[in-house]
Amino acid sequence: MATRFTASQSVEIAVPEQPIHIQHYLRQPQRLVKALADNTRTQQLSEEVFRLKMRPLSFMSLSIQPTVDMRVWAELNGIIYLRSLGCEILGFEYINQRFALNLKGHLSPKEFSTGTRLQGRADLEVLVDLPPPFSFTPKPILEATGNGLLKSVLLSVKQRLLNQLLADYRYWVISQTKDRELDSDTTELPILNAE
């Protein structure tokens, strides 16, 4: 019989004012994926689908490393959505065939009198049919351990988001404004040459 583990995590981030609103940055979901996960562990499968090789997770005496395919897309209003499409547990065929992961999340810019804030939430659910001897472990102990593990996964994603997202946004704004300055400089050069 499958055991169900769940965890949720909310996030709110104050966004420093920049020359380009964060809504424009959020329309590029691949940047969010790069901010959330190490480049060496992600692979872009299509415009909106990414494969993420998670760090190894220890559950009781078991160590597993899920690989999750996720769809990440943005609406025109800058809201980013994230949904898991599939998951594979490499090296443990028994668990891989009896494992389901469901991840849903969103991140949206909200305007307040004090400025823009990003608000988001992620919900993670895992259903797994555990092999013996785990199946003999009392259900409350299994659930507490599994829920704690999922909560720690979401918490580490939240910390990375808090640390990386604004830094990448700032970098992106700088690169965009430099590109615009270069474009305006090149349009002025022929006029200077004509004199």
Side-chain angles (χ1 to χ4, degrees), residues 3-15:
T3 305
R4 180 175 176 263
F5 306 113
T6 60
S8 294
Q9 186 70 57
S10 295
V11 67
E12 187 165 322
I13 307 169
V15 180

Side-chain angles (χ1 to χ4, degrees), residues 65-77:
Q65 187 168 20
T67 300
V68 183
D69 289 350
M70 297 183 303
R71 178 177 176 228
V72 184
W73 74 101
E75 300 288 335
L76 289 176
N77 57 9

Side-chain angles (χ1 to χ4, degrees), residues 101-166:
L101 181 144
N102 184 20
L103 174 65
K104 291 188 288 190
H106 70 275
L107 188 65
S108 59
K110 303 278 187 193
E111 297 300 325
F112 294 93
S113 58
T114 55
T116 305
R117 298 181 84 73
L118 290 177
Q119 295 179 333
R121 178 182 170 96
D123 297 302
L124 179 58
E125 175 189 58
V126 167
L127 291 167
V128 61
D129 191 359
L130 293 166
F134 303 107
S135 57
F136 302 124
T137 305
K139 196 168 184 175
I141 293 172
L142 278 179
E143 288 176 349
T145 306
N147 292 344
L149 177 63
L150 295 189
K151 189 174 181 99
S152 73
V153 167
L154 289 182
L155 196 57
S156 69
V157 169
K158 177 181 178 175
Q159 290 305 317
R160 190 161 170 94
L161 184 68
L162 290 170
N163 294 329
Q164 297 293 120
L165 182 75
L166 294 181

